Amino acid sequence: MNRKSKQSTRAKGEGFEKLAEEFLVREGFRILERNWQAGHKEIDIIATKENLVAFVEVKGSRSGEYGHPSEWVNRHKRENLVQAAQQFIIEHELIGFDFRFDLITFFEGKLEHYPDAFQIESD
């Protein structure tokens, strides 16, 4: 991937994340963090509504060339999200909240929200 296409991909991702934030706010969420990092692991959006904290992954594609964006959140990505979320919870001493992992995709111009998209996997 050349430098120009990498920047273009990053700009598209930021655009999708901005649209996802706007959607979440319309749904009554308050955005706590954007692109929160724990080492090399990142959570796109962390939002809260009442007693819930949602860790939100955002994926988007303008075409189906590489499949549906929901398919890109594989086990490794989910594990990274869980580890980053655990770090966020510890650092912010979040006690008494419910937590979930949401996925927001943009596919063929349509926003799709998957609340509670996956559970924490144990071995």
Side-chain angles (χ1 to χ4, degrees):
M1 181 179 297
N2 65 36
R3 185 182 191 111
K4 187 173 182 178
S5 64
K6 188 172 188 174
Q7 289 173 338
S8 175
T9 301
R10 183 173 291 129
K12 286 178 193 173
E14 289 171 359
F16 289 135
E17 288 173 6
K18 181 69 175 159
L19 292 170
E21 286 179 26
E22 291 169 0
F23 167 78
L24 290 167
V25 169
R26 283 193 310 272
E27 293 294 308
F29 283 87
R30 184 171 57 90
I31 306 301
L32 297 177
E33 296 282 349
R34 297 164 182 86
N35 304 113
W36 190 84
Q37 293 190 305
H40 296 291
K41 298 168 181 70
E42 180 179 271
I43 301 172
D44 294 330
I45 301 170
I46 302 172
T48 186
K49 181 178 182 180
E50 298 168 2
N51 199 42
L52 172 70
V53 176
F55 300 98
V56 184
E57 178 69 10
V58 179
K59 295 289 184 192
S61 175
R62 300 201 191 283
S63 73
E65 183 177 355
Y66 299 105
H68 192 278
S70 63
E71 298 169 1
W72 306 342
V73 184
N74 60 24
R75 181 182 176 113
H76 179 71
K77 179 64 178 173
R78 291 189 305 268
E79 289 171 352
N80 283 344
L81 288 168
V82 168
Q83 290 171 7
Q86 289 170 331
Q87 186 66 37
F88 183 85
I89 291 165
I90 291 167
E91 284 185 16
H92 292 84
E93 299 177 352
L94 298 179
I95 299 168
F97 287 87
D98 293 323
F99 303 101
R100 75 178 190 205
F101 295 91
D102 286 11
L103 174 63
I104 294 179
T105 63
F106 293 89
F107 185 64
E108 297 178 344
K110 181 180 171 193
L111 180 149
E112 300 167 316
H113 181 212
Y114 301 91
D116 209 13
F118 66 90
Q119 304 295 316
I120 296 174
E121 299 172 13
S122 59
D123 294 328

